[in-house]
């Protein structure tokens, strides 16, 4: 998990349990003067994405599956996809629950599980036991 944490910190993703906004991303702000080219006025802004591990990752998976089920009930589209080690994708039986999905992930050695709906995405690396559940950027 140390390699995953290092990769996430390089991308500006903070651990969910951290306090404060240690990790920040650089954003370019437009010039306050109209018709003036925006120069190198870069500012730091906190990132909103976070990841969890262990039992909290399973809870995030359960939350994503509940969210997917409720969206499907009201007629919205959603999906549950697994990515195999060789890059091929498989459709996951999201309605069968978290335990079944984790069993499938283990049997098929899934690299990633992705569950999503309208405006949100859940991504889990089942072998590492880490996950993120976030609303998509506007």
């Amino acid at each position: 998990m140390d390699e995953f944490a290092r990769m996430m910190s390089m991308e500006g993703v903070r651990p969910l349990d951290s306090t404060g906004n240690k990790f920040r991303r650089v954003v370019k702000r437009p010039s306050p003067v109209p018709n003036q080219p925006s120069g190198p006025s870069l500012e730091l802004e906190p990132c909103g994405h976070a990841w969890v591990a262990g039992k909290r990752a399973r809870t995030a998976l359960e939350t994503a599956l509940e969210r997917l089920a409720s969206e499907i009930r009201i007629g919205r589209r959603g999906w549950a996809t697994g990515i195999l080690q060789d890059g091929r994708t498989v459709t996951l039986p999201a309605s069968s629950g978290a335990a079944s999905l984790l069993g499938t992930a283990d049997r098929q050695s899934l690299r990633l599980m992705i569950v999503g709906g309208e405006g949100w995405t859940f991504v889990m690396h089942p072998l590492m036991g880490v996950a993120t559940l976030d609303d998509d950027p506007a």
Side-chain angles (χ1 to χ4, degrees):
M1 177 135 119
D2 291 333
E3 180 63 20
F4 181 81
R6 185 186 67 74
M7 182 181 67
M8 291 293 101
S9 67
M10 286 175 54
E11 293 296 321
V13 179
R14 64 174 171 75
L16 187 62
D17 293 331
S18 73
T19 56
N21 292 318
K22 182 178 177 185
F23 299 108
R24 297 165 118 25
R25 65 179 167 210
V26 177
V27 291
K28 192 171 188 175
R29 300 286 183 203
S31 172
V33 180
N35 299 327
Q36 184 86 8
S38 59
S41 60
L42 300 177
E43 295 181 17
L44 295 176
E45 128 181 325
C47 293
H49 307 288
W51 54 271
V52 292
K55 291 180 182 179
R56 294 187 71 195
R58 182 182 174 124
T59 301
L61 173 60
E62 291 167 349
T63 301
L65 294 174
E66 289 169 8
R67 191 170 181 179
L68 177 63
S70 68
E71 287 197 0
I72 290 173
R73 274 193 299 274
I74 61 172
R76 291 186 179 165
R77 293 181 45 157
W79 65 92
T81 302
I83 300 178
L84 299 167
Q85 296 293 330
D86 64 5
R88 290 181 297 135
T89 60
V90 293
T91 301
L92 296 175
S95 61
S96 58
S100 177
L101 277 185
L102 291 171
T104 299
D106 189 44
R107 282 188 307 281
Q108 296 186 13
S109 297
L110 293 181
R111 180 174 299 267
L112 290 174
M113 294 190 319
I114 304 165
V115 178
E118 190 173 312
W120 63 276
T121 306
F122 167 84
V123 179
M124 180 176 206
H125 190 302
L127 296 176
M128 290 179 155
V130 293
T132 182
L133 173 60
D134 249 323
D135 290 326
D136 295 342

